[in-house]
Amino acid sequence: MTWRATVLTLFPDMFPGPLGVSLAGKALTSGLWELEARDIRASATDRHRSVDDTPAGGGPGMVLRADVLAAAIDAADAGQNRPRLLMSPRGRPLTQSQVKELAAGPGPLIVCGRFEGVDQRVIEARTLKEVSIGDYLLSGGEIAAMALIDACVRLLPGVMGKQASGEDESFSEGLLEYPQFTRPQAFEGRGIPEVLISGDHAKVAAWRRAEAEALTRAQRPDLWAARPGQKATKSTTDG
Ligand code: SAH
């Protein structure tokens, strides 16, 4: 079965958007994955096709209606057992290991919020798992959904040219990636580290490992502390 992302949105025209070009786009055209963008508004029932209403209890903005959204989910999801996600700043921030898990499954159904968000009852009634892409606010869930889908698609078999170039990258083994270089050999007076042109593969590997560790410690002490195999005991040099 082909991996498929189903997106429920008020703006289906935003798709495939950036997912239609480069790696993801080529894979989409060649059938390595499928994308279905469904208009939530198609499930509206009143004559104004309204999808939102004012928040109970007052306050600014509008809230996506539970009945309309539930009908849209049911129409998209009939009888299928797939992860049902809601892009939401209240969710756990997305990680590479969650991405791996999603890429290994049948592909998610993703609800994109707009306005002030969605009625809490539909989150519970349709067991939507809230997923965030970071601690900042977007104006809608579409760009967040695209980020999640892009991260999954590049892990699907056959999408990346060389399968190997997934194993060494940032977040594998809980480390950020080492610095990369290419031609020209000299750029504005800066060279390429000697070891990388030495042809000594063991030395190159050791240099990359050391750089990855140093970068992770400096830029992401949180990742460094949480990396796999890390003992729970605190080093005496900490704090
Ligand atoms: N009033 C809400 C914000 C709504 S933003 C609050 O304070 O929590 C509108 C929609 O954009 C959300 O429903 C969600 O679908 C999407 N969105 C905004 N920020 C996001 C983030 N960091 N990650 C994922 N989705 C996000």
Side-chain angles (χ1 to χ4, degrees):
M1 209 182 65
T2 311
W3 193 90
R4 166 198 291 243
T6 298
V7 182
L8 301 187
T9 168
L10 289 172
F11 301 98
D13 291 350
M14 287 175 79
F15 293 86
L19 298 171
V21 297
S22 192
L23 215 67
K26 277 184 205 142
L28 185 58
T29 312
S30 60
L32 290 172
W33 66 289
E34 292 170 4
L35 176 64
E36 184 191 11
R38 299 177 67 107
D39 192 350
I40 294 169
R41 199 173 294 277
S43 297
T45 50
D46 66 9
R47 62 191 183 88
H48 303 292
R49 309 206 71 71
S50 58
V51 293
D52 58 346
D53 212 324
T54 53
M62 300 293 272
V63 176
L64 274 171
R65 285 168 53 144
D67 56 346
V68 174
L69 200 47
I73 293 168
D74 295 344
D77 202 29
Q80 297 174 50
N81 197 10
R82 324 158 57 186
R84 284 194 295 268
L85 312 178
L86 169 66
M87 301 319 297
S88 162
R90 301 190 317 194
R92 283 270 184 108
L94 185 65
T95 62
Q96 186 67 14
S97 67
Q98 268 175 277
V99 166
K100 269 191 194 158
E101 219 172 280
L102 286 169
L109 178 138
I110 307 172
V111 177
C112 300
R114 278 273 155 183
F115 324 123
E116 289 309 312
V118 311
D119 188 304
Q120 182 65 26
R121 293 169 296 177
V122 74
I123 301 177
E124 289 162 20
R126 293 297 178 274
T127 54
L128 301 179
K129 184 175 172 197
E130 295 180 80
V131 179
S132 168
I133 63 160
D135 293 339
Y136 44 83
L137 287 179
L138 303 168
S139 54
E142 288 79 8
I143 290 174
M146 286 174 193
L148 181 146
I149 294 168
D150 182 79
C152 290
V153 164
R154 61 191 291 287
L155 296 183
L156 299 176
V159 172
M160 281 202 296
K162 254 204 249 154
Q163 205 55 32
S165 90
E167 278 149 30
D168 236 28
E169 291 179 307
S170 288
F171 309 118
S172 73
E173 293 186 68
L175 294 175
L176 301 177
E177 196 185 55
Y178 47 78
Q180 300 275 16
F181 300 88
T182 185
R183 277 182 280 271
Q185 288 248 9
F187 164 69
E188 296 184 354
R190 296 159 192 264
I192 292 174
E194 280 298 323
V195 55
L196 296 182
I197 32 194
S198 69
D200 184 333
H201 296 302
K203 269 197 188 148
V204 169
W207 180 86
R208 286 179 165 168
R209 177 83 197 185
E211 289 288 319
E213 292 186 1
L215 258 174
T216 309
R217 288 181 93 131
Q219 318 234 65
R220 292 292 304 274
D222 56 322
L223 276 184
W224 178 254
R227 72 198 187 284
Q230 176 68 350
K231 291 205 195 80
T233 52
K234 269 190 115 191
S235 130
T236 48
T237 54
D238 286 352

